[in-house]
């Protein structure tokens, strides 16, 4: 049985790889995408989402535009990591435009249409998801599961020593989502930093499909121009998509999770209290099988 999904995304290089995978995965019945700022400004992430859909043969994929700012504060963009305008490669223009519905209302519409079937994959700051929950509490019963790429529970962060980028960029939204009671699978740095493509690996660069060639172009440009000092590319958003399709790739522990919003030193830190709760924290990953899964889905399709 296919999963009725929406992907909330801030493309972003690893988002782009994750979207290629998702579009190549028959297990996912993708209803649409919602864009959020994070890796780049909202105009960039929305344009990147629309152009990726066009490039990958889905020009009519619904794209609903979301938040340009977090619930509180401001976004710390990731241009230094993802490249100018959020991607290191230029994608062809598209005539496609975002749908009239804004992201929260679009998420309501999918939840209303597919109550208790709807699976949300969140690859950026959780601002859109939090706003959707705040504006329509019935969403809590309509959403079957949220697979979140975010957090760093037992490992250090990638923005500060304590905080991971997506959570750091809107910790209040993350607390709204974790506190909602919606079942969450939290795919954090604890697992995704173990699953990577290396600069000198030869398998990610020989894609023969449209998506495979785009992934090779993004990665080779990233390694040579964007981050010439890095030897590994962590597959964080791709692992979240893989986990939505094949949960057995991860070892998880049930927990309640909260995010630090006040202390300046640990701001954005995700804390897990194991035992009971609505969050399944990914504490382990089958690294080889996950990397192979990501590579296969990137290179499959047409
Ligand atoms: O920390 C990694 C996450 O932050 C990924 O979603 C990446 O795209 C950035 O948004
Ligand atoms: Ca992302």
């Amino acid at each position: 049985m296919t999963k009725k999904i929406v992907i909330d995304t801030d493309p972003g290089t690893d988002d782009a790889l994750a979207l290629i995978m998702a579009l190549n995965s028959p297990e996912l019945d993708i209803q649409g995408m919602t864009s959020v700022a994070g890796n780049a400004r909202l105009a960039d992430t929305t344009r990147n989402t629309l152009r990726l859909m066009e490039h990958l043969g889905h020009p009519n994929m619904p794209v609903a535009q979301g938040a340009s700012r977090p619930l509180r504060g401001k976004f710390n963009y990731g241009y230094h990591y993802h490249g100018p305008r959020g991607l290191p490669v230029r994608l062809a223009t598209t005539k496609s435009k975002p749908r009239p519905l804004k992201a929260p209302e679009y998420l309501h519409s999918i939840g209303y249409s597919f109550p208790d079937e709807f699976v949300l994959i969140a690859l950026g700051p959780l601002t859109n998801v939090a706003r959707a929950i705040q504006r329509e509490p019935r969403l809590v019963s309509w959403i079957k599961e949220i697979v979140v790429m975010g957090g760093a529970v037992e490992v250090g962060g990638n923005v500060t020593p304590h905080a991971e980028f997506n959570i750091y960029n809107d910790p209040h939204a993350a607390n709204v989502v974790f506190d909602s009671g919606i079942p969450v699978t939290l795919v954090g740095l604890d697992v995704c930093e173990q699953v990577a493509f290396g600069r000198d690996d030869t398998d990610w660069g020989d894609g023969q499909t449209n998506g495979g060639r785009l992934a090779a172009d993004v990665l080779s440009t990233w390694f040579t121009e964007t981050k010439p000092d890095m030897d590994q590319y962590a597959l964080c958003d791709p692992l979240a998509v893989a986990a939505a399709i094949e949960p057995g790739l991860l070892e998880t522990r049930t927990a309640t999770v909260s995010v630090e919003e006040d202390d300046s030193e640990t701001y954005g830190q995700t804390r897990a209290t194991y035992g009971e709760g609505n969050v399944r924290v990914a504490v382990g990953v089958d690294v080889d099988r996950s990397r192979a899964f990501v590579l296969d889905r990137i290179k499959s399709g047409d």
Side-chain angles (χ1 to χ4, degrees):
M1 180 150 166
T2 59
K3 295 186 176 182
K4 306 282 187 193
I5 73 155
V6 170
I7 303 177
D8 188 66
T9 185
D10 61 334
T13 53
D14 61 331
D15 299 72
L17 301 184
L19 297 183
I20 293 168
M21 287 175 67
L23 292 170
N24 286 341
S25 297
E27 303 88 343
L28 304 179
D29 180 0
I30 306 174
Q31 301 301 306
M33 310 270 169
T34 49
S35 63
V36 63
N39 285 328
R41 293 175 188 81
L42 182 64
D44 289 331
T45 60
T46 303
R47 185 200 60 252
N48 291 342
T49 305
L50 291 166
R51 290 189 179 183
L52 281 164
M53 291 304 109
E54 177 86 32
H55 186 93
L56 297 167
H58 296 265
N60 299 319
M61 176 68 74
V63 175
Q65 192 163 238
S68 61
R69 298 171 56 89
L71 296 187
R72 295 173 180 171
K74 63 178 180 60
F75 284 130
N76 293 270
Y77 302 118
Y79 288 103
H80 62 286
Y81 187 89
H82 294 277
R85 306 189 75 183
L87 288 173
V89 299
R90 189 188 180 287
L91 293 168
T93 58
T94 174
K95 293 185 177 63
S96 304
K97 300 288 182 224
R99 295 300 168 95
L101 270 185
K102 292 302 177 196
E105 288 65 37
Y106 179 75
L107 294 174
H108 297 160
S109 71
I110 300 301
Y112 180 79
S113 303
F114 304 105
D116 203 29
E117 273 191 83
F118 176 21
V119 174
L120 178 57
I121 300 177
L123 304 179
L126 290 168
T127 316
N128 291 341
V129 186
R131 280 218 174 104
I133 293 168
Q134 290 174 327
R135 293 178 186 173
E136 175 50 85
R138 289 182 295 173
L139 201 60
V140 171
S141 62
W142 291 341
I143 293 183
K144 182 178 183 182
E145 177 190 17
I146 308 176
V147 180
V148 172
M149 193 281 123
V153 180
E154 310 295 342
V155 297
N158 59 2
V159 178
T160 75
H162 307 283
E164 177 276 330
F165 183 89
N166 287 336
I167 303 298
Y168 180 82
N169 260 309
D170 200 338
H172 187 64
N175 276 322
V176 168
V177 174
F178 295 145
D179 292 349
S180 70
I182 297 171
V184 170
T185 298
L186 188 62
V187 184
L189 301 184
D190 306 71
V191 290
C192 75
E193 287 186 332
Q194 300 178 53
V195 184
F197 287 155
R199 168 185 296 276
D200 300 327
D201 294 347
T202 55
D203 52 4
W204 54 258
D206 57 4
Q208 299 303 313
T209 62
N210 204 11
R213 283 190 297 271
L214 174 60
D217 192 12
V218 167
L219 287 161
S220 56
T221 309
W222 189 84
F223 276 118
T224 54
E225 296 175 24
T226 314
K227 300 295 280 183
D229 56 323
M230 300 281 281
D231 287 331
Q232 295 290 313
Y233 182 87
L235 297 166
C236 286
D237 290 343
L239 185 60
V241 168
I245 299 164
E246 180 59 71
L249 293 171
L250 301 178
E251 177 195 352
T252 61
R253 287 186 67 189
T254 298
T256 53
V257 172
S258 64
V259 182
E260 177 62 49
E261 292 186 49
D262 302 314
D263 177 70
S264 58
E265 166 69 21
T266 58
Y267 181 83
Q269 184 177 48
T270 38
R271 298 191 183 101
T273 304
Y274 295 110
E276 296 181 350
N278 61 310
V279 181
R280 294 187 307 149
V281 177
V283 296
V285 58
D286 184 328
V287 173
D288 293 342
R289 202 155 68 89
S290 298
R291 186 185 184 283
F293 187 98
V294 168
L295 188 66
D296 170 72
R297 292 302 168 97
I298 284 174
K299 295 170 83 169
S300 61
D302 50 23

